[in-house]
Amino acid sequence: DAKTTQPNSMESNEEEPVHLPCNHSTISGTDYIHWYRQLPSQGPEYVIHGLTSNVNNRMASLAIAEDRKSSTLILHRATLRDAAVYYCPPREGANNLFFGTGTRLTVIP
Amino acid sequence: EAQVTQNPRYLITVTGKKLTVTCSQNMNHEYMSWYRQDPGLGLRQIYYSMNVEVTDKGDVPEGYKVSRKEKRNFPLILESPSPNQTSLYFCASSLLGGRHEKLFFGSGTQLSVL
């Protein structure tokens, strides 16, 4: 099973861009890279996913390294509502994403 | 609105008293799953279901049961709860359980077993 490594915590000033890194050096060639976030007192919510190309949606951008061993979730302008724990869960087995402890993002007003 | 609904939101019970946490989704998803979240351990999968009457164990199934009699519902059953099952529980669903699909999570059930 693939493993991922994320920093335990990060801080950002409000309205500044945030780059959240994830290392997934053991990812298989067919596994998608997923990002989820968990706001306080809520369940995880999907943010974005991709396979090889960079991806954009209304929430964030996902930059995937050419060798796919790492990715970066980009929040273009952090707001207080973006304060959450961010996960890049690797695939575990056939039907599971392994959510570890993620990166706790603090947004400073 | 597309959603996964869990009930109850909070539950306090005593050791050995059977309980059921309900989970329902309105998206016609075939795949459903239960997780528990504990400090420092992240989310761990308890059971999952690929479709009606098809269930399988996740990473931490001991002490839990599930059933999938209808596509929309996936209850989690604790027949004899113990204090080590005190945790935050999440139900999740996706269309088919495929590798590229996104998971939709419920808001969670905080269970305390005294």
Side-chain angles (χ1 to χ4, degrees), chain B residues 2-60:
Chain B
Q3 59 186 358
V4 177
T5 304
Q6 290 179 232
N7 280 297
R9 185 78 171 88
Y10 301 95
L11 180 57
I12 300 174
T13 189
V14 295
T15 299
K17 186 175 181 182
K18 181 179 178 180
L19 67 90
T20 299
V21 183
T22 64
C23 174
S24 179
Q25 49 88 10
N26 63 0
M27 296 168 279
N28 203 35
H29 284 174
E30 293 191 0
Y31 178 85
M32 298 184 75
S33 178
W34 276 103
Y35 292 84
R36 62 177 287 174
Q37 184 173 33
D38 302 290
L41 296 177
L43 280 85
R44 293 179 291 169
Q45 191 181 50
I46 303 171
Y47 269 94
Y48 66 93
S49 170
M50 296 299 293
N51 211 327
V52 175
E53 302 290 2
V54 180
T55 63
D56 211 343
K57 296 177 181 179
D59 296 322
V60 288

Side-chain angles (χ1 to χ4, degrees), chain A residues 31 36 41 91-92 95, chain B residues 9 31 37 43 59 99 103:
Chain A
D31 275 344
Y36 285 76
S41 302
R91 176 68 54 178
E92 181 180 70
N95 300 103
Chain B
R9 185 78 171 88
Y31 178 85
Q37 184 173 33
L43 280 85
D59 296 322
R99 289 173 171 261
L103 281 167

Side-chain angles (χ1 to χ4, degrees), chain A residues 10-65:
Chain A
M10 291 183 65
E11 284 186 354
S12 172
N13 293 319
E14 197 176 6
E15 300 195 2
E16 290 189 357
V18 183
H19 290 229
L20 295 157
C22 180
N23 288 322
H24 31 77
S25 57
T26 59
I27 192 171
S28 79
T30 57
D31 275 344
Y32 281 76
I33 296 159
H34 298 258
W35 281 83
Y36 285 76
R37 71 179 185 181
Q38 187 172 16
L39 301 169
S41 302
Q42 295 189 27
E45 65 173 345
Y46 166 85
V47 177
I48 200 166
H49 76 281
L51 187 60
T52 56
S53 304
N54 294 345
V55 184
N56 300 297
N57 66 21
R58 64 174 180 80
M59 290 179 73
S61 296
L62 175 60
I64 301 172

